[in-house]
Amino acid sequence: MSFCQEEFNKLPTKTGPRPLSHSVSQLSADCFSSVGSVSSEDESPPQQKPQKTSKGLTDFCIKSIKQAAFGRKEIDIAQQGMPALMILRKRAGGEKPLAGAKVVGCTHITAQTAVLIETLAALGAQCRWAACNIFSTQNAVAAALAEGGISVFAWKGESEDDFLWCIDRCVAADSWEPNLILDDGGDLTQWIYKKYPSLFKKLKGIVEESVTGIYRLYQLSKAGKLCVPAMNVNDSVTKQKFDNIYCCKESILDGLKRTTDVMFGGKQVVVCGYGEVGKGCCAALKGLGAVIYVTEVDPICALQACMDGIRVITLSEVIRHADMVITCTGNKDVVTREHFDRMRSGCIVCNMGHSNTEIDLASLRTTELKWHRVRPQVDHIIWPDGKRVVLLAEGRLLNLSCSTVPSFVLSVTAATQALALIELYNAPAGRYKQDVYLLPKKMDEYVASLHLPMFDAHVTELTDEQAQYLGISKHGPFKPNYYR
């Protein structure tokens, strides 16, 4: 019996009292996360600064190893709100289900992701890591990971060339070949597929957690070019119904407040897309008195918005009146230059999807428009007549670029990612073909069960007769695999 199968049959244990949230004293004076702050002495390009850890490791590239102690404190705080990963460490640490695994990762490098990376290492994996977003890396956390022995290549404010350089340094390491990919957005997978095709064919599997990355994987599969199995974590219930809704529900307000100090009451807000991310954003904004409009291409999601009391409308119809436009579709060119030209002065534009393709930035980089950086990650784009539009994070993911996100809800996603890697790595030959798979529902339920003790929740157990009546096992799975 595999580690995953054994764990499914175990009840979660008590994890102690709920963790305290960050206090004001733990936040720095800048307008985002303390872990994203940098000092004036760290302005030279990281590639030009030879650095080494206290143990002599030099195989990394970050802003400043001097921030490691502070980053370690942030990781320790995040651990308190991520019970599932800590339970996995305790239960599987001796068995080392990832012994021999070489995981190359490309995700947001935050305190919460650091807990995941160090959990994988505790389970036996060797890890090399890059960032999936040029603005979301928390420099002190990257330093703590390096000091802890993880080869990490990332810093906040990378250029596009830096971004690709870091990915390549993760992959093209001397005497080290990855056999698993943990990706967020598909950039790492695409890089290996195109530049290192022979290495791509040797992989045991890919785990992907974003809409953008999953779209790319399905494209490869449809074209018959996906030569390794891949796990679609994005569409797991434990990702969609927790990370996408609840994380965005809380962090959208945090990101907007930190960057613009905007008051939401009475503002007319257009949310492009009413998937799980859009639902979370709308719920938060509506709760503070904003007037919400939704744009949608899917009639099912559009009907859900209508039933939630939200007006569904096209962006062109409402753009002149909008105080704020938030994209969360996973698509491209959702907000175009035509929309920008019709916006009112002071309109705030931001993106809650993974990629910055949703906002047509290229059309704004013209000679007649002036860009004025007023705060970190806040640009005023000024038209010849004086109109200005406020663009946040250059159209990249708002919450992780401009604020922090709740550790607890990310614990759910991170535990799902860890189990997906364990499953792919330990699966017997032939279980998974060269295709994209969803995690078994039993895994989703197991991940959820690991978090219930934090709420002192007591789940009802079916009687034998009730289970027989429903035609299911009294220990689950309680929903079919197609349930979403």
Side-chain angles (χ1 to χ4, degrees):
M1 185 180 291
S2 70
F3 166 75
C4 288
Q5 290 171 324
E6 291 178 356
E7 287 301 298
F8 292 149
N9 298 321
K10 295 179 181 178
L11 292 175
T13 58
K14 290 278 185 178
T15 56
R18 301 183 189 181
L20 296 175
S21 60
H22 284 62
S23 66
V24 174
S25 63
Q26 290 164 336
L27 297 177
S28 67
D30 66 352
C31 61
F32 343 79
S33 160
S34 57
V35 285
S37 62
V38 293
S39 62
S40 57
E41 66 183 38
D42 294 326
E43 295 307 316
S44 58
Q47 299 98 316
Q48 299 177 11
K49 294 189 302 182
Q51 301 182 74
K52 66 178 179 180
T53 67
S54 61
K55 296 181 180 179
L57 177 70
T58 59
D59 187 22
F60 65 93
C61 189
I62 60 174
K63 197 70 172 178
S64 174
I65 194 65
K66 296 177 182 179
Q67 295 179 302
F70 183 75
R72 177 52 53 190
K73 293 178 182 178
E74 291 287 338
I75 296 172
D76 290 344
I77 292 171
Q79 284 183 178
Q80 298 176 49
M82 305 186 77
L85 292 181
M86 307 315 291
I87 293 173
L88 286 181
R89 290 189 197 184
K90 182 178 180 180
R91 292 184 178 176
E95 184 182 338
K96 305 292 184 187
L98 288 176
K102 296 181 178 180
V103 182
V104 60
C106 185
T107 65
H108 302 284
I109 297 182
T110 63
Q112 294 77 23
T113 308
V115 179
L116 169 60
I117 296 169
E118 293 186 340
T119 298
L120 299 179
L123 300 182
Q126 297 179 36
C127 299
R128 296 176 69 84
W129 230 262
C132 68
N133 184 297
I134 65 174
F135 293 137
S136 64
T137 297
Q138 297 171 343
N139 288 326
V141 168
L145 283 171
E147 180 62 33
I150 304 295
S151 293
V152 55
F153 301 85
W155 57 93
K156 190 179 183 73
E158 296 170 2
S159 68
E160 293 289 347
D161 289 340
D162 292 336
F163 173 76
L164 296 176
W165 180 87
C166 288
I167 288 177
D168 195 61
R169 281 296 302 272
C170 276
V171 178
D174 294 337
S175 67
W176 192 90
E177 283 190 354
N179 49 29
L180 288 170
I181 290 176
L182 180 56
D183 211 353
D184 185 351
D187 292 300
L188 173 60
T189 300
Q190 289 280 69
W191 186 262
I192 296 177
Y193 170 75
K194 292 180 179 180
K195 190 171 182 180
Y196 302 99
S198 60
L199 176 59
F200 189 78
K201 295 175 183 178
K202 297 178 184 177
L203 294 170
K204 290 184 71 70
I206 302 165
V207 174
E208 171 61 55
E209 74 147 331
S210 75
V211 172
T212 303
I214 291 302
Y215 174 71
R216 291 175 170 180
L217 284 175
Y218 279 123
Q219 281 185 316
L220 284 177
S221 179
K222 187 176 181 180
K225 297 178 180 179
L226 183 63
C227 52
V228 295
M231 281 289 186
N232 174 1
V233 168
N234 178 72
D235 290 315
S236 294
V237 173
T238 43
K239 169 68 163 55
Q240 287 283 325
K241 294 192 178 298
F242 295 93
D243 193 337
N244 288 20
I245 292 181
Y246 298 112
C247 179
C248 296
K249 182 178 179 179
E250 298 198 17
S251 60
I252 179 66
L253 303 179
D254 189 16
L256 287 167
K257 284 289 189 183
R258 293 198 199 199
T259 50
T260 66
D261 304 309
V262 65
M263 184 172 181
F264 298 101
K267 293 293 191 299
Q268 299 196 56
V269 181
V270 183
V271 176
C272 301
Y274 203 64
E276 305 303 336
V277 173
K279 289 179 176 68
C281 292
C282 287
L285 294 162
K286 193 174 182 181
L288 289 182
V291 179
I292 310 297
Y293 301 89
V294 158
T295 70
E296 252 302 341
V297 298
D298 184 337
I300 295 175
C301 292
L303 182 57
Q304 285 182 302
C306 292
M307 296 295 285
D308 287 336
I310 299 172
R311 174 79 184 279
V312 178
I313 197 168
T314 66
L315 187 55
S316 295
E317 290 177 282
V318 74
I319 194 64
R320 289 189 182 277
H321 310 290
D323 297 300
M324 198 178 304
V325 178
I326 302 168
T327 58
C328 37
T329 69
N331 207 337
K332 62 175 292 187
D333 296 337
V334 177
V335 182
T336 65
R337 177 59 187 270
E338 179 185 356
H339 297 126
F340 276 104
D341 286 338
R342 297 175 60 200
M343 288 178 187
R344 63 167 63 174
S345 186
C347 183
I348 298 169
V349 181
C350 64
N351 170 46
M352 283 291 285
H354 176 82
S355 176
N356 64 344
T357 58
E358 301 199 36
I359 299 171
D360 182 12
L361 296 177
S363 68
L364 300 176
R365 300 190 183 278
T366 58
T367 55
E368 78 270 21
L369 300 183
K370 296 180 180 179
W371 286 57
H372 181 210
R373 177 63 55 89
V374 296
R375 285 180 176 178
Q377 315 307 338
V378 182
D379 290 298
H380 284 190
I381 304 172
I382 306 171
W383 268 249
D385 63 358
K387 182 186 87 171
R388 61 182 62 207
V389 170
V390 182
L391 178 66
L392 305 182
E394 296 183 25
R396 296 181 182 273
L397 186 58
L398 172 73
N399 55 0
L400 282 158
S401 296
C402 300
S403 65
T404 56
V405 292
S407 295
F408 183 80
V409 75
L410 290 188
S411 176
V412 181
T413 298
T416 306
Q417 290 172 302
L419 289 177
L421 288 169
I422 293 171
E423 174 66 14
L424 284 175
Y425 187 66
N426 293 282
R431 176 181 292 178
Y432 296 107
K433 310 298 183 184
Q434 298 170 352
D435 205 349
V436 183
Y437 293 86
L438 291 169
L439 283 168
K441 189 63 64 222
K442 189 74 172 174
M443 279 194 183
D444 282 326
E445 293 173 357
Y446 172 64
V447 169
S449 73
L450 293 178
H451 293 83
L452 291 176
M454 293 287 283
F455 300 97
D456 194 25
H458 303 270
V459 177
T460 302
E461 183 174 316
L462 293 174
T463 65
D464 292 335
E465 291 78 10
Q466 287 174 323
Q468 185 177 7
Y469 177 79
L470 294 174
I472 61 175
S473 166
K474 64 187 299 182
H475 301 296
F478 299 98
K479 297 288 192 298
N481 274 340
Y482 58 77
Y483 170 76
R484 290 291 170 264

